[in-house]
Amino acid sequence: MLEGREVVIYTDHKPLVFAFTRKHDNSTPRQIRYLELISQFTTDIRYIAGRDNVVADTFSRISQINLLNLNDFSGLADDQFSDPELQSLMGSGTGLELRPMYFASSEKPLYCDVSTGTVRPYVTKSFRRQIFNQIRNLSHPGVKATQKLVAARFVWKNIN
């Protein structure tokens, strides 16, 4: 599939980029074999800092992208029904617009905040760690970036 096409490799492994620009006098036979194998496909290898290489980082964690699988909507809706924290938020003037919404995977309504123009499900205590870990494991962002990613997609009391 790659034959006859231009291929550019973006990597956060700076020594690999450097290896293609130097002479192989000090390289081991194994390193030379690997470089020759890679060079059959391309010699255009470009460096991207790891924190900026979000696409590659996400692809390496592709199995973790299911933030809430369809069965969990039903479980979350059940949890919301008896959650006293949600009940207190609905009656207070927090600025959240919590509305019941129906999804195809659940017969029960899921309360979501719609105040920002984005539908953000309210997450009960028993689901918070799961949500946090799955977002954090996607690309290992820092503390502030993780808070921002979680708050953009979900809502709960004292989220930050």
Side-chain angles (χ1 to χ4, degrees):
M1 285 180 21
L2 299 177
E3 194 171 341
R5 297 176 189 241
E6 281 197 33
V7 177
V8 179
I9 296 175
Y10 294 95
T11 181
D12 62 352
H13 191 67
K14 207 172 207 177
L16 180 61
V17 176
F18 177 70
F20 273 94
T21 62
R22 66 181 175 99
K23 294 183 179 179
H24 299 298
D25 297 338
N26 296 331
S27 299
T28 66
R30 177 183 280 182
Q31 289 171 331
I32 292 171
R33 280 195 312 273
Y34 283 134
L35 291 172
E36 286 177 355
L37 175 68
I38 293 169
S39 69
Q40 290 177 19
F41 304 104
T42 187
T43 55
D44 191 0
I45 300 179
R46 301 176 190 175
Y47 174 74
I48 291 186
R51 67 181 176 281
D52 298 330
N53 201 356
V54 177
V55 173
D57 214 25
T58 301
F59 279 138
S60 68
R61 292 169 180 79
I62 199 77
S63 64
Q64 299 172 357
I65 292 183
N66 62 341
L67 291 177
L68 268 179
N69 66 38
L70 296 177
N71 298 331
D72 287 343
F73 280 125
S74 178
L76 183 57
D78 287 340
D79 240 17
Q80 284 181 348
F81 183 73
S82 61
D83 188 52
E85 193 175 271
L86 175 60
Q87 303 307 322
S88 70
L89 284 174
M90 289 172 59
S92 66
T94 60
L96 296 176
E97 290 181 42
L98 292 165
R99 295 189 182 157
M101 304 189 90
Y102 289 87
F103 293 88
S105 62
S106 177
E107 293 178 6
K108 296 181 181 177
L110 186 66
Y111 282 88
C112 300
D113 173 48
V114 293
S115 63
T116 62
T118 303
V119 176
R120 300 182 306 157
Y122 171 81
V123 180
T124 59
K125 285 184 181 182
S126 59
F127 284 87
R128 291 175 188 169
R129 176 57 67 178
Q130 174 189 355
I131 295 293
F132 175 82
N133 286 340
Q134 288 180 346
I135 288 180
R136 171 82 172 99
N137 290 339
L138 281 175
S139 63
H140 296 286
V143 174
K144 289 183 180 181
T146 302
Q147 285 176 333
K148 190 175 181 179
L149 288 168
V150 170
R153 291 164 177 79
F154 301 97
V155 66
W156 62 78
K157 191 173 183 178
N158 301 324
I159 193 166
N160 290 327

PDB file of all heavy atoms in Angstrom, residues 118-144:
ATOM      1  N   THR A 118     -23.727  22.607  25.024  1.00  0.00           N
ATOM      2  CA  THR A 118     -23.264  21.239  24.840  1.00  0.00           C
ATOM      3  C   THR A 118     -23.992  20.364  25.849  1.00  0.00           C
ATOM      4  O   THR A 118     -24.136  20.759  27.004  1.00  0.00           O
ATOM      5  CB  THR A 118     -21.743  21.142  25.097  1.00  0.00           C
ATOM      6  OG1 THR A 118     -21.072  22.041  24.230  1.00  0.00           O
ATOM      7  CG2 THR A 118     -21.230  19.739  24.860  1.00  0.00           C
ATOM      8  N   VAL A 119     -24.413  19.213  25.424  1.00  0.00           N
ATOM      9  CA  VAL A 119     -25.089  18.293  26.340  1.00  0.00           C
ATOM     10  C   VAL A 119     -24.018  17.601  27.178  1.00  0.00           C
ATOM     11  O   VAL A 119     -23.168  16.877  26.650  1.00  0.00           O
ATOM     12  CB  VAL A 119     -25.929  17.255  25.572  1.00  0.00           C
ATOM     13  CG1 VAL A 119     -26.533  16.252  26.529  1.00  0.00           C
ATOM     14  CG2 VAL A 119     -27.003  17.952  24.761  1.00  0.00           C
ATOM     15  N   ARG A 120     -24.045  17.866  28.488  1.00  0.00           N
ATOM     16  CA  ARG A 120     -23.069  17.281  29.414  1.00  0.00           C
ATOM     17  C   ARG A 120     -23.809  16.472  30.473  1.00  0.00           C
ATOM     18  O   ARG A 120     -24.502  17.049  31.308  1.00  0.00           O
ATOM     19  CB  ARG A 120     -22.231  18.362  30.093  1.00  0.00           C
ATOM     20  CG  ARG A 120     -21.440  19.218  29.125  1.00  0.00           C
ATOM     21  CD  ARG A 120     -20.593  20.253  29.829  1.00  0.00           C
ATOM     22  NE  ARG A 120     -21.379  21.089  30.736  1.00  0.00           N
ATOM     23  CZ  ARG A 120     -20.863  21.754  31.764  1.00  0.00           C
ATOM     24  NH1 ARG A 120     -19.585  21.690  32.032  1.00  0.00           N
ATOM     25  NH2 ARG A 120     -21.640  22.491  32.545  1.00  0.00           N
ATOM     26  N   PRO A 121     -23.685  15.153  30.434  1.00  0.00           N
ATOM     27  CA  PRO A 121     -24.376  14.328  31.429  1.00  0.00           C
ATOM     28  C   PRO A 121     -23.879  14.629  32.844  1.00  0.00           C
ATOM     29  O   PRO A 121     -22.692  14.867  33.055  1.00  0.00           O
ATOM     30  CB  PRO A 121     -24.005  12.899  31.035  1.00  0.00           C
ATOM     31  CG  PRO A 121     -23.526  12.979  29.636  1.00  0.00           C
ATOM     32  CD  PRO A 121     -22.969  14.351  29.449  1.00  0.00           C
ATOM     33  N   TYR A 122     -24.812  14.612  33.781  1.00  0.00           N
ATOM     34  CA  TYR A 122     -24.448  14.710  35.192  1.00  0.00           C
ATOM     35  C   TYR A 122     -23.929  13.338  35.613  1.00  0.00           C
ATOM     36  O   TYR A 122     -24.579  12.314  35.380  1.00  0.00           O
ATOM     37  CB  TYR A 122     -25.662  15.098  36.051  1.00  0.00           C
ATOM     38  CG  TYR A 122     -25.353  14.997  37.521  1.00  0.00           C
ATOM     39  CD1 TYR A 122     -24.676  16.024  38.172  1.00  0.00           C
ATOM     40  CD2 TYR A 122     -25.685  13.872  38.239  1.00  0.00           C
ATOM     41  CE1 TYR A 122     -24.357  15.917  39.510  1.00  0.00           C
ATOM     42  CE2 TYR A 122     -25.372  13.759  39.583  1.00  0.00           C
ATOM     43  CZ  TYR A 122     -24.702  14.778  40.212  1.00  0.00           C
ATOM     44  OH  TYR A 122     -24.372  14.672  41.533  1.00  0.00           O
ATOM     45  N   VAL A 123     -22.752  13.301  36.237  1.00  0.00           N
ATOM     46  CA  VAL A 123     -22.112  12.038  36.607  1.00  0.00           C
ATOM     47  C   VAL A 123     -22.185  11.857  38.121  1.00  0.00           C
ATOM     48  O   VAL A 123     -21.764  12.740  38.875  1.00  0.00           O
ATOM     49  CB  VAL A 123     -20.643  12.001  36.136  1.00  0.00           C
ATOM     50  CG1 VAL A 123     -19.982  10.690  36.521  1.00  0.00           C
ATOM     51  CG2 VAL A 123     -20.556  12.219  34.631  1.00  0.00           C
ATOM     52  N   THR A 124     -22.702  10.734  38.542  1.00  0.00           N
ATOM     53  CA  THR A 124     -22.799  10.427  39.966  1.00  0.00           C
ATOM     54  C   THR A 124     -21.442   9.967  40.488  1.00  0.00           C
ATOM     55  O   THR A 124     -20.543   9.629  39.714  1.00  0.00           O
ATOM     56  CB  THR A 124     -23.847   9.332  40.210  1.00  0.00           C
ATOM     57  OG1 THR A 124     -23.467   8.172  39.468  1.00  0.00           O
ATOM     58  CG2 THR A 124     -25.228   9.787  39.806  1.00  0.00           C
ATOM     59  N   LYS A 125     -21.308   9.926  41.821  1.00  0.00           N
ATOM     60  CA  LYS A 125     -20.023   9.588  42.444  1.00  0.00           C
ATOM     61  C   LYS A 125     -19.463   8.248  41.984  1.00  0.00           C
ATOM     62  O   LYS A 125     -18.259   8.110  41.789  1.00  0.00           O
ATOM     63  CB  LYS A 125     -20.154   9.585  43.966  1.00  0.00           C
ATOM     64  CG  LYS A 125     -20.216  10.961  44.553  1.00  0.00           C
ATOM     65  CD  LYS A 125     -20.260  10.912  46.068  1.00  0.00           C
ATOM     66  CE  LYS A 125     -20.343  12.330  46.618  1.00  0.00           C
ATOM     67  NZ  LYS A 125     -20.353  12.354  48.079  1.00  0.00           N
ATOM     68  N   SER A 126     -20.314   7.266  41.792  1.00  0.00           N
ATOM     69  CA  SER A 126     -19.815   5.934  41.443  1.00  0.00           C
ATOM     70  C   SER A 126     -19.239   5.853  40.021  1.00  0.00           C
ATOM     71  O   SER A 126     -18.509   4.913  39.709  1.00  0.00           O
ATOM     72  CB  SER A 126     -20.919   4.888  41.621  1.00  0.00           C
ATOM     73  OG  SER A 126     -22.016   5.198  40.801  1.00  0.00           O
ATOM     74  N   PHE A 127     -19.526   6.833  39.167  1.00  0.00           N
ATOM     75  CA  PHE A 127     -19.011   6.823  37.798  1.00  0.00           C
ATOM     76  C   PHE A 127     -17.870   7.822  37.580  1.00  0.00           C
ATOM     77  O   PHE A 127     -17.226   7.816  36.533  1.00  0.00           O
ATOM     78  CB  PHE A 127     -20.138   7.132  36.797  1.00  0.00           C
ATOM     79  CG  PHE A 127     -21.060   5.986  36.553  1.00  0.00           C
ATOM     80  CD1 PHE A 127     -22.159   5.772  37.370  1.00  0.00           C
ATOM     81  CD2 PHE A 127     -20.829   5.103  35.517  1.00  0.00           C
ATOM     82  CE1 PHE A 127     -23.010   4.710  37.156  1.00  0.00           C
ATOM     83  CE2 PHE A 127     -21.672   4.034  35.292  1.00  0.00           C
ATOM     84  CZ  PHE A 127     -22.768   3.835  36.118  1.00  0.00           C
ATOM     85  N   ARG A 128     -17.616   8.692  38.532  1.00  0.00           N
ATOM     86  CA  ARG A 128     -16.637   9.775  38.333  1.00  0.00           C
ATOM     87  C   ARG A 128     -15.225   9.271  38.104  1.00  0.00           C
ATOM     88  O   ARG A 128     -14.531   9.750  37.216  1.00  0.00           O
ATOM     89  CB  ARG A 128     -16.682  10.734  39.522  1.00  0.00           C
ATOM     90  CG  ARG A 128     -17.966  11.510  39.551  1.00  0.00           C
ATOM     91  CD  ARG A 128     -18.077  12.380  40.774  1.00  0.00           C
ATOM     92  NE  ARG A 128     -19.425  12.953  40.830  1.00  0.00           N
ATOM     93  CZ  ARG A 128     -19.929  13.584  41.845  1.00  0.00           C
ATOM     94  NH1 ARG A 128     -19.197  13.765  42.944  1.00  0.00           N
ATOM     95  NH2 ARG A 128     -21.161  14.051  41.806  1.00  0.00           N
ATOM     96  N   ARG A 129     -14.772   8.317  38.889  1.00  0.00           N
ATOM     97  CA  ARG A 129     -13.409   7.805  38.739  1.00  0.00           C
ATOM     98  C   ARG A 129     -13.235   7.161  37.367  1.00  0.00           C
ATOM     99  O   ARG A 129     -12.227   7.336  36.713  1.00  0.00           O
ATOM    100  CB  ARG A 129     -13.092   6.825  39.860  1.00  0.00           C
ATOM    101  CG  ARG A 129     -11.735   6.158  39.761  1.00  0.00           C
ATOM    102  CD  ARG A 129     -10.584   7.126  39.717  1.00  0.00           C
ATOM    103  NE  ARG A 129     -10.444   7.838  40.967  1.00  0.00           N
ATOM    104  CZ  ARG A 129      -9.480   8.725  41.184  1.00  0.00           C
ATOM    105  NH1 ARG A 129      -8.603   8.998  40.244  1.00  0.00           N
ATOM    106  NH2 ARG A 129      -9.405   9.354  42.315  1.00  0.00           N
ATOM    107  N   GLN A 130     -14.240   6.418  36.925  1.00  0.00           N
ATOM    108  CA  GLN A 130     -14.181   5.773  35.605  1.00  0.00           C
ATOM    109  C   GLN A 130     -14.046   6.823  34.501  1.00  0.00           C
ATOM    110  O   GLN A 130     -13.210   6.697  33.615  1.00  0.00           O
ATOM    111  CB  GLN A 130     -15.440   4.931  35.393  1.00  0.00           C
ATOM    112  CG  GLN A 130     -15.559   4.329  34.014  1.00  0.00           C
ATOM    113  CD  GLN A 130     -16.917   3.678  33.781  1.00  0.00           C
ATOM    114  OE1 GLN A 130     -17.752   3.587  34.671  1.00  0.00           O
ATOM    115  NE2 GLN A 130     -17.137   3.235  32.567  1.00  0.00           N
ATOM    116  N   ILE A 131     -14.863   7.870  34.562  1.00  0.00           N
ATOM    117  CA  ILE A 131     -14.818   8.936  33.557  1.00  0.00           C
ATOM    118  C   ILE A 131     -13.466   9.625  33.589  1.00  0.00           C
ATOM    119  O   ILE A 131     -12.818   9.818  32.560  1.00  0.00           O
ATOM    120  CB  ILE A 131     -15.948   9.970  33.813  1.00  0.00           C
ATOM    121  CG1 ILE A 131     -17.321   9.333  33.615  1.00  0.00           C
ATOM    122  CG2 ILE A 131     -15.771  11.201  32.960  1.00  0.00           C
ATOM    123  CD1 ILE A 131     -17.629   8.936  32.207  1.00  0.00           C
ATOM    124  N   PHE A 132     -13.023   9.993  34.771  1.00  0.00           N
ATOM    125  CA  PHE A 132     -11.741  10.683  34.920  1.00  0.00           C
ATOM    126  C   PHE A 132     -10.598   9.838  34.358  1.00  0.00           C
ATOM    127  O   PHE A 132      -9.776  10.326  33.580  1.00  0.00           O
ATOM    128  CB  PHE A 132     -11.478  11.013  36.390  1.00  0.00           C
ATOM    129  CG  PHE A 132     -10.127  11.607  36.627  1.00  0.00           C
ATOM    130  CD1 PHE A 132      -9.907  12.957  36.422  1.00  0.00           C
ATOM    131  CD2 PHE A 132      -9.065  10.814  37.032  1.00  0.00           C
ATOM    132  CE1 PHE A 132      -8.659  13.509  36.619  1.00  0.00           C
ATOM    133  CE2 PHE A 132      -7.820  11.356  37.224  1.00  0.00           C
ATOM    134  CZ  PHE A 132      -7.607  12.709  37.026  1.00  0.00           C
ATOM    135  N   ASN A 133     -10.540   8.565  34.744  1.00  0.00           N
ATOM    136  CA  ASN A 133      -9.451   7.692  34.288  1.00  0.00           C
ATOM    137  C   ASN A 133      -9.458   7.516  32.776  1.00  0.00           C
ATOM    138  O   ASN A 133      -8.403   7.510  32.143  1.00  0.00           O
ATOM    139  CB  ASN A 133      -9.531   6.331  34.965  1.00  0.00           C
ATOM    140  CG  ASN A 133      -9.094   6.391  36.406  1.00  0.00           C
ATOM    141  OD1 ASN A 133      -8.399   7.317  36.826  1.00  0.00           O
ATOM    142  ND2 ASN A 133      -9.515   5.416  37.189  1.00  0.00           N
ATOM    143  N   GLN A 134     -10.633   7.375  32.193  1.00  0.00           N
ATOM    144  CA  GLN A 134     -10.673   7.154  30.751  1.00  0.00           C
ATOM    145  C   GLN A 134     -10.243   8.395  29.982  1.00  0.00           C
ATOM    146  O   GLN A 134      -9.555   8.285  28.974  1.00  0.00           O
ATOM    147  CB  GLN A 134     -12.055   6.677  30.324  1.00  0.00           C
ATOM    148  CG  GLN A 134     -12.301   5.251  30.778  1.00  0.00           C
ATOM    149  CD  GLN A 134     -13.656   4.722  30.373  1.00  0.00           C
ATOM    150  OE1 GLN A 134     -14.528   5.470  29.975  1.00  0.00           O
ATOM    151  NE2 GLN A 134     -13.832   3.424  30.481  1.00  0.00           N
ATOM    152  N   ILE A 135     -10.617   9.565  30.443  1.00  0.00           N
ATOM    153  CA  ILE A 135     -10.165  10.787  29.770  1.00  0.00           C
ATOM    154  C   ILE A 135      -8.677  10.981  30.002  1.00  0.00           C
ATOM    155  O   ILE A 135      -7.928  11.321  29.096  1.00  0.00           O
ATOM    156  CB  ILE A 135     -10.987  12.001  30.226  1.00  0.00           C
ATOM    157  CG1 ILE A 135     -12.386  11.904  29.621  1.00  0.00           C
ATOM    158  CG2 ILE A 135     -10.312  13.309  29.828  1.00  0.00           C
ATOM    159  CD1 ILE A 135     -13.317  13.019  29.977  1.00  0.00           C
ATOM    160  N   ARG A 136      -8.225  10.748  31.204  1.00  0.00           N
ATOM    161  CA  ARG A 136      -6.805  10.911  31.536  1.00  0.00           C
ATOM    162  C   ARG A 136      -5.937   9.951  30.737  1.00  0.00           C
ATOM    163  O   ARG A 136      -4.864  10.297  30.265  1.00  0.00           O
ATOM    164  CB  ARG A 136      -6.617  10.665  33.037  1.00  0.00           C
ATOM    165  CG  ARG A 136      -5.184  10.589  33.498  1.00  0.00           C
ATOM    166  CD  ARG A 136      -4.608  11.976  33.697  1.00  0.00           C
ATOM    167  NE  ARG A 136      -3.310  11.899  34.319  1.00  0.00           N
ATOM    168  CZ  ARG A 136      -2.167  11.980  33.663  1.00  0.00           C
ATOM    169  NH1 ARG A 136      -2.179  12.143  32.365  1.00  0.00           N
ATOM    170  NH2 ARG A 136      -1.027  11.911  34.282  1.00  0.00           N
ATOM    171  N   ASN A 137      -6.400   8.722  30.537  1.00  0.00           N
ATOM    172  CA  ASN A 137      -5.604   7.718  29.836  1.00  0.00           C
ATOM    173  C   ASN A 137      -5.562   7.899  28.324  1.00  0.00           C
ATOM    174  O   ASN A 137      -4.780   7.248  27.654  1.00  0.00           O
ATOM    175  CB  ASN A 137      -6.114   6.313  30.169  1.00  0.00           C
ATOM    176  CG  ASN A 137      -5.820   5.930  31.599  1.00  0.00           C
ATOM    177  OD1 ASN A 137      -4.935   6.489  32.239  1.00  0.00           O
ATOM    178  ND2 ASN A 137      -6.571   4.987  32.125  1.00  0.00           N
ATOM    179  N   LEU A 138      -6.412   8.762  27.784  1.00  0.00           N
ATOM    180  CA  LEU A 138      -6.389   8.977  26.337  1.00  0.00           C
ATOM    181  C   LEU A 138      -5.061   9.559  25.873  1.00  0.00           C
ATOM    182  O   LEU A 138      -4.469   9.110  24.910  1.00  0.00           O
ATOM    183  CB  LEU A 138      -7.527   9.903  25.913  1.00  0.00           C
ATOM    184  CG  LEU A 138      -8.889   9.256  25.809  1.00  0.00           C
ATOM    185  CD1 LEU A 138      -9.940  10.314  25.507  1.00  0.00           C
ATOM    186  CD2 LEU A 138      -8.898   8.195  24.745  1.00  0.00           C
ATOM    187  N   SER A 139      -4.599  10.594  26.543  1.00  0.00           N
ATOM    188  CA  SER A 139      -3.354  11.222  26.090  1.00  0.00           C
ATOM    189  C   SER A 139      -2.485  11.717  27.231  1.00  0.00           C
ATOM    190  O   SER A 139      -1.536  12.430  26.998  1.00  0.00           O
ATOM    191  CB  SER A 139      -3.677  12.393  25.153  1.00  0.00           C
ATOM    192  OG  SER A 139      -4.403  13.385  25.857  1.00  0.00           O
ATOM    193  N   HIS A 140      -2.804  11.360  28.448  1.00  0.00           N
ATOM    194  CA  HIS A 140      -2.049  11.762  29.642  1.00  0.00           C
ATOM    195  C   HIS A 140      -1.813  13.259  29.722  1.00  0.00           C
ATOM    196  O   HIS A 140      -0.685  13.712  29.863  1.00  0.00           O
ATOM    197  CB  HIS A 140      -0.715  11.008  29.718  1.00  0.00           C
ATOM    198  CG  HIS A 140      -0.882   9.549  29.889  1.00  0.00           C
ATOM    199  ND1 HIS A 140      -1.263   8.978  31.069  1.00  0.00           N
ATOM    200  CD2 HIS A 140      -0.728   8.524  29.008  1.00  0.00           C
ATOM    201  CE1 HIS A 140      -1.328   7.675  30.921  1.00  0.00           C
ATOM    202  NE2 HIS A 140      -1.025   7.376  29.680  1.00  0.00           N
ATOM    203  N   PRO A 141      -2.880  14.060  29.621  1.00  0.00           N
ATOM    204  CA  PRO A 141      -2.686  15.506  29.736  1.00  0.00           C
ATOM    205  C   PRO A 141      -2.377  15.879  31.187  1.00  0.00           C
ATOM    206  O   PRO A 141      -2.536  15.066  32.094  1.00  0.00           O
ATOM    207  CB  PRO A 141      -4.048  16.074  29.320  1.00  0.00           C
ATOM    208  CG  PRO A 141      -5.013  14.996  29.637  1.00  0.00           C
ATOM    209  CD  PRO A 141      -4.275  13.703  29.429  1.00  0.00           C
ATOM    210  N   GLY A 142      -1.945  17.105  31.393  1.00  0.00           N
ATOM    211  CA  GLY A 142      -1.666  17.580  32.740  1.00  0.00           C
ATOM    212  C   GLY A 142      -2.938  17.787  33.531  1.00  0.00           C
ATOM    213  O   GLY A 142      -4.045  17.557  33.047  1.00  0.00           O
ATOM    214  N   VAL A 143      -2.781  18.266  34.770  1.00  0.00           N
ATOM    215  CA  VAL A 143      -3.919  18.433  35.678  1.00  0.00           C
ATOM    216  C   VAL A 143      -4.954  19.398  35.104  1.00  0.00           C
ATOM    217  O   VAL A 143      -6.140  19.079  35.022  1.00  0.00           O
ATOM    218  CB  VAL A 143      -3.435  18.919  37.060  1.00  0.00           C
ATOM    219  CG1 VAL A 143      -4.609  19.240  37.970  1.00  0.00           C
ATOM    220  CG2 VAL A 143      -2.533  17.882  37.700  1.00  0.00           C
ATOM    221  N   LYS A 144      -4.508  20.581  34.699  1.00  0.00           N
ATOM    222  CA  LYS A 144      -5.450  21.588  34.196  1.00  0.00           C
ATOM    223  C   LYS A 144      -6.114  21.139  32.899  1.00  0.00           C
ATOM    224  O   LYS A 144      -7.303  21.351  32.693  1.00  0.00           O
ATOM    225  CB  LYS A 144      -4.749  22.925  34.010  1.00  0.00           C
ATOM    226  CG  LYS A 144      -4.404  23.585  35.324  1.00  0.00           C
ATOM    227  CD  LYS A 144      -3.790  24.939  35.121  1.00  0.00           C
ATOM    228  CE  LYS A 144      -3.452  25.553  36.473  1.00  0.00           C
ATOM    229  NZ  LYS A 144      -2.866  26.872  36.342  1.00  0.00           N
TER     230      LYS A 144
END
